[in-house]
Structures are given as C-alpha cells and as structure tokens.
Amino acid sequence: MILIDAKNLDYQALNDLLRESKEDSTISGCLGQRFIAAGMDGRTITINGIPGNALGAYLNGADLIVNGNTQDAVGDTMNAGKIVIHGNIGDAAGYAMRGGKIFIRGNAGYRAGIHMKEYKEKVPVMIIGGCAGSFLGEYQAGGKIIVLGLNTDGRRIIGNFPCTGMHGGKMYLRGDCTALSFPHQVTARLTDEKDMEEIRDVLSEYCEIFGCDLNTVLDSPFTVVTPDSKNPYKQMYVAN
C-alpha cells in the first residue's frame, strides 16, 4: 500500500506517482487534481478529498474509492473497473462509458450517462443513490442507469429532458415515474419480475458498499425506461 499526500502536488506529479507505484494507493489531501487514475488497471486507489475533472477517464480495471464529492466527467469513456463515490458527483458522469460500474451515494449533476454504450458482454452500470439533474441518459445507446431517489428531501428524482435521443440500454427509476415527461421515442412502464432480476445483483452490491438495506430499496415500485423506435431521431428532424 502506497500513501500519497497530494496537498502540494499538481495533477501530473500525482499521476506520475500512481503510475510508478503500480500498487494499491491511498491519496490524502486531494484538491482538484485532474485525470487521476486515467487508463489504469489492476489496483485499488482510495482518495480522501475532492478529485478534479475526468477522474478515472478510460479506466481499464482499477477500483477507485472517493471519500468525498467529485467534479465533472468522472469515468469518461471508462472501459472496466469500478468507481465508488461516497458523496455527490458533478456533470457528465460516465460520458461514453462502455464498461464497468459507477456507484454514487448522493446526487448527480447534468447529463449523467450521456452516450453510455455497451458491446457484447460489456454492459456498464451507473447507480445514483439520490437524484439526477437534467438530460439524464442523453443519447444513451446501452448499459443501465439506475436512480434510487434516496434521501432527496422531496426533490424530484430526475431533472428535465431525460432520455433525449436515447436509442439503447435501460434506465431504472425507483418509484412510479410513468407520469413524468419523457420524449416520444421511449417507453416508461412499471417493472416486472424479470426487469428487477436484471438489476438485483448490482443493487445488492451497491447496498453492501454504502450500508443500505436492500429490502428497503426494493420496497418500492420501479419504473423502467427503454427506447421503442429503431429511428429515434426521425421525429426530431422530420415533420410528421
């Protein structure tokens, strides 16, 4: 285990230390350094503080644990691994994410899961424990986005314009959200047993990490949102 005090390190020096060590590491005093663990694999990195933009970009198998909040573009184009956020996350989390998992205890900003995709056995998953901002799942092409709406003090579980341009994957929202405003190219319905089986294991993993009660999480209906058109852009650009 390598201990790194990041208080007086810029992002390049910090990442150089991580690449040189190639071991599990704990970073203290993190304050806005960008690109931490970009492209890394085969280790666990614990971060105490607030990392800067693009944490875990192109992540290829490492596990990142953040004991605090994070800024924007976490997990940008990540390929494999797991990012655990014990706080809130900024905008564009999981941009073009194509594998791995992002678990967020708190809330997410705008455009979480934008351009998320999947290929064969690679099915990325993002679970947001609180609520998500506008444009959630914009242009989603694959993977699973799950929003639990826990401890949100009455705030709406998602913001405006969810699933804009969505043409693949699934979005799960805890609660009956079928009356919310979704674009015409998606279908929102209450989940059935088969739908819930698809996410039970990752919900169990999430609850184990954050100390939540799985039965409490599941003691609610869920809404699943899926694309229902092979040409989701037609009605955006062609007059009916």
Side-chain angles (χ1 to χ4, degrees):
M1 170 69 72
I2 303 298
L3 304 178
I4 300 174
D5 184 354
K7 183 177 179 180
N8 296 311
L9 299 177
D10 65 16
Y11 77 91
Q12 187 169 354
L14 175 56
N15 279 293
D16 285 346
L17 287 174
L18 289 173
R19 291 189 182 92
E20 290 167 4
S21 72
K22 297 182 180 179
E23 297 182 29
D24 291 352
S25 304
T26 296
I27 301 170
S28 63
C30 187
L31 188 59
Q33 289 91 341
R34 297 170 289 164
F35 310 121
I36 294 176
M40 293 187 182
D41 61 9
R43 70 192 83 176
T44 297
I45 299 172
T46 302
I47 301 169
N48 296 312
I50 302 176
N53 290 352
L55 168 73
Y58 305 101
L59 196 70
N60 201 35
D63 288 346
L64 309 182
I65 302 168
V66 181
N67 294 315
N69 300 324
T70 59
Q71 295 184 9
D72 299 341
V74 172
D76 184 340
T77 324
M78 70 180 285
N79 187 54
K82 182 162 58 181
I83 302 177
V84 175
I85 310 298
H86 288 267
N88 301 317
I89 200 167
D91 296 340
Y95 178 93
M97 181 183 180
R98 57 196 182 192
K101 302 170 185 173
I102 300 178
F103 291 160
I104 304 147
R105 181 161 196 164
N107 304 320
Y110 293 160
R111 288 189 160 90
I114 179 174
H115 286 298
M116 182 185 283
K117 59 200 69 177
E118 65 183 70
Y119 181 69
K120 294 185 177 180
E121 76 282 356
K122 284 191 173 294
V123 181
V125 175
M126 179 186 299
I127 302 182
I128 300 164
C131 55
S134 296
F135 296 101
L136 175 69
E138 186 177 27
Y139 304 118
Q140 184 181 351
K144 295 180 176 66
I145 299 173
I146 304 169
V147 187
L148 300 179
L150 303 172
N151 304 315
T152 56
D153 297 323
R155 292 174 59 186
R156 200 172 73 175
I157 191 170
I158 55 175
N160 298 321
F161 314 113
C163 309
T164 301
M166 180 185 188
H167 55 286
K170 292 184 178 181
M171 182 183 295
Y172 289 81
L173 307 174
R174 185 170 177 267
D176 184 349
C177 301
T178 54
L180 296 182
S181 179
F182 293 99
H184 295 303
Q185 86 274 2
V186 304
T187 297
R189 60 173 174 79
L190 293 179
T191 56
D192 57 28
E193 186 174 342
K194 182 179 178 181
D195 295 318
M196 295 307 297
E197 281 302 314
E198 289 187 9
I199 62 171
R200 190 177 299 274
D201 286 348
V202 290
L203 285 177
S204 179
E205 183 179 2
Y206 178 95
C207 289
E208 184 175 352
I209 289 171
F210 292 121
C212 307
D213 180 59
L214 178 61
N215 291 327
T216 299
V217 170
L218 294 175
D219 189 21
S220 169
F222 275 71
T223 302
V224 60
V225 186
T226 55
D228 65 357
S229 171
K230 294 181 180 179
N231 187 3
Y233 304 103
K234 179 178 180 181
Q235 54 197 317
M236 294 172 126
Y237 302 110
V238 179
N240 293 325

